[in-house]
Amino acid sequence: MTRFPSHATRATRIVLAAAALACVGGFAQAQQAKLKVGLMLPYSGTYTALGVAIENGFRLNVEEQGGKLGGREIEYVKVDDESDPAKATDNVNKLIKRDNVDVIIGTVHSGVAMAMAKAAKESGTVLIVPNAGADAVTGPMCAPNIFRSSFSNWQPAYAMGEVAAKQEKKKKAITITWKYAAGDESVNGFKEGFEKSGGQVVKQLSVPFPNVEFQALLTEIAAAKPDAVYAFFAGGGAVKFVKDYAAAGLDKTIPLYGPGFLTDGTLDAQGASAQGMLTTLHYADGLNTPRDNAFRIAYAKSFKLQPDVYAVQGYDAAQMLGIGLAAVKGDIGKKAEFAAAIEKAKIDSPRGPFSVGKSHNPIQDIYLRKVDGKENKLVSIATKSLADPARGCRM
Ligand code: BEZ
């Protein structure tokens, strides 16, 4: 408490009190409080490895900046979202209302991400989505405070549809996916690209998320004998699906395509069953650029693991946050300036430089990759600078 000499007049006391307050204010500015980052990611269930890779990538970038972004030290608050949309609203509101986080980084699962986007939009809290491709997040739900460092479900899927029809000359395809927003949108994107290029999707199969009982549907595929199968699965489910597909002997007769999630971060476990598979994604092994090489070395040194697309997306979420914070000198309350800085930035990603479109989704090259040993090796750029159509985004 400030003590004044007993003989001070009332006016002197007021002047002294004001000076003391100004001192406190100045100190607070010089010593900005830590920036509270809420990490809402899956740390259990089929997407666990994806959540861990995103956190690793995010932390790596922060460490490379000396532990600070925009001059502010970072404090983490973590929530396991379990990839469960039913718990998503409670989980995100804990971060916003109980923990008073300044920014939320999350998540992997599209259904969970949509609940997060709704809460972020209502509260104005900055949200950076480091994976979930839900088209709606940068479509009808787009907002000045919501950004994505990853992809829309449409992007790699649309590119694969074109590759399967134009380059691989496939005519009739069956799709198979988990039945939730990401799977449905991925299949729709593939169908759009495939059918515009002359192919036809003849059957759409699905199992509930995160079910991995594929046998009955594999039997149905074998009987239908399409030219190609397009599948959306990721994490533990992708490992099981690719192994089951090969164990059923289907890999010998019907090529299996997918967005790169089908084989990214999963090749150790998939082994021989994934060899030769073609997928499309905004990251690949063997890009061999100075930027990616440096990232891969730093990641391997920190985590004793090779990075995957999820690690890149986490790393780039921190880069985007850093760009916004630098522009407002750490004052994330300056929302318009924060957003403007990210909107005009070229983000120096390990995947290759990208910028975000009006809807705040990356405009990026989509690579065609081929599984070779334990790598998703770069084959070519399937689609250059692909922007999500951002249908329904009004900003
Ligand atoms: C999604 O739910 O959006 C998603 C999950 C895993 C990989 C890719 C997309």
Side-chain angles (χ1 to χ4, degrees):
M1 200 168 102
T2 310
R3 297 204 173 272
F4 303 115
S6 57
H7 58 269
T9 63
R10 188 176 141 71
T12 318
R13 283 171 188 240
I14 290 168
V15 170
L16 286 173
L21 272 175
C23 252
V24 171
F27 179 76
Q29 259 184 359
Q31 294 262 313
Q32 276 182 320
K34 287 185 179 174
L35 186 89
K36 263 195 177 184
V37 173
L39 295 177
M40 184 160 153
L41 291 165
Y43 296 108
S44 57
T46 196
Y47 287 160
T48 304
L50 289 62
V52 171
I54 288 168
E55 179 176 346
N56 287 348
F58 191 93
R59 284 183 185 266
L60 175 62
N61 184 262
V62 172
E63 286 315 306
E64 287 176 356
Q65 315 308 312
K68 290 185 179 179
L69 295 179
R72 292 180 70 176
E73 275 180 55
I74 304 294
E75 177 183 339
Y76 294 99
V77 184
K78 288 171 55 167
V79 171
D80 176 7
D81 67 38
E82 303 169 52
S83 296
D84 186 349
K87 297 182 184 163
T89 301
D90 278 356
N91 279 332
V92 70
N93 280 330
K94 269 186 223 151
L95 288 175
I96 295 172
K97 295 183 182 153
R98 184 193 65 188
D99 300 320
N100 284 315
V101 298
D102 296 296
V103 52
I104 303 173
I105 307 297
T107 185
V108 169
H109 184 287
S110 276
V112 177
M114 284 194 278
M116 295 174 73
K118 184 167 181 287
K121 202 166 174 165
E122 283 165 7
S123 65
T125 312
V126 170
L127 168 66
I128 304 180
V129 179
N131 183 70
D135 292 344
V137 167
T138 50
M141 303 180 84
C142 74
N145 58 317
I146 299 177
F147 305 85
R148 188 148 50 196
S149 65
S150 51
F151 60 93
S152 73
N153 288 319
W154 179 89
Q155 283 177 305
Y158 181 83
M160 189 74 243
E162 289 192 330
V163 168
K166 287 188 192 158
Q167 187 174 319
E168 296 288 293
K169 312 265 183 253
K170 302 300 172 199
K171 294 273 175 255
K172 295 203 183 301
I174 289 185
T175 62
I176 178 164
T177 181
W178 274 318
K179 185 80 197 140
Y180 81 103
D184 291 344
E185 291 171 357
S186 186
V187 163
N188 289 343
F190 172 79
K191 187 168 152 69
E192 191 181 325
F194 191 57
E195 297 196 340
K196 259 192 199 162
S197 311
Q200 192 193 357
V201 170
V202 292
K203 195 174 261 192
Q204 297 184 200
L205 304 172
S206 62
V207 291
F209 177 88
N211 189 320
V212 290
E213 292 312 316
F214 302 121
Q215 220 46 57
L217 297 183
L218 292 176
T219 305
E220 203 172 328
I221 291 171
K225 296 192 179 61
D227 301 329
V229 169
Y230 174 85
F232 170 90
F233 295 103
V239 171
K240 173 86 167 37
F241 181 76
V242 170
K243 287 177 98 170
D244 285 4
Y245 195 85
L250 289 171
D251 60 330
K252 306 281 181 297
T253 50
I254 309 168
L256 174 59
Y257 303 109
F261 316 113
L262 205 51
T263 57
D264 228 82
T266 54
L267 291 174
D268 279 346
Q270 287 165 333
S273 60
Q275 294 309 302
M277 276 180 61
L278 290 175
T279 61
T280 44
L281 202 61
H282 48 287
Y283 190 54
D285 295 315
L287 291 178
N288 199 21
T289 58
R291 181 69 178 104
D292 190 42
N293 292 345
F295 166 73
R296 292 170 85 95
I297 289 167
Y299 191 92
K301 195 166 160 215
S302 291
F303 305 109
K304 316 287 172 251
L305 278 174
Q306 287 305 311
D308 55 20
V309 69
Y310 309 106
V312 171
Q313 294 168 170
Y315 187 86
D316 290 339
Q319 293 213 78
M320 288 165 72
L321 179 59
I323 287 165
L325 284 171
V328 296
K329 300 195 170 50
D331 183 356
I332 203 165
K334 293 185 173 160
K335 299 257 168 64
E337 292 101 308
F338 178 90
I342 298 176
E343 282 163 9
K344 66 169 190 278
K346 185 148 251 175
I347 294 131
D348 188 17
S349 170
R351 76 188 82 172
F354 72 88
S355 53
V356 296
K358 267 198 151 45
S359 68
H360 296 169
N361 189 68
I363 300 170
Q364 54 195 340
D365 293 347
I366 304 292
Y367 303 106
L368 177 64
R369 311 110 47 88
K370 183 173 189 169
V371 176
D372 180 358
K374 296 208 170 151
E375 295 201 328
N376 286 288
K377 282 217 172 121
L378 173 68
V379 174
S380 60
I381 295 178
T383 314
K384 186 99 194 119
S385 302
L386 186 62
D388 179 77
R391 294 167 183 134
C393 171
R394 311 254 171 278
M395 225 189 326

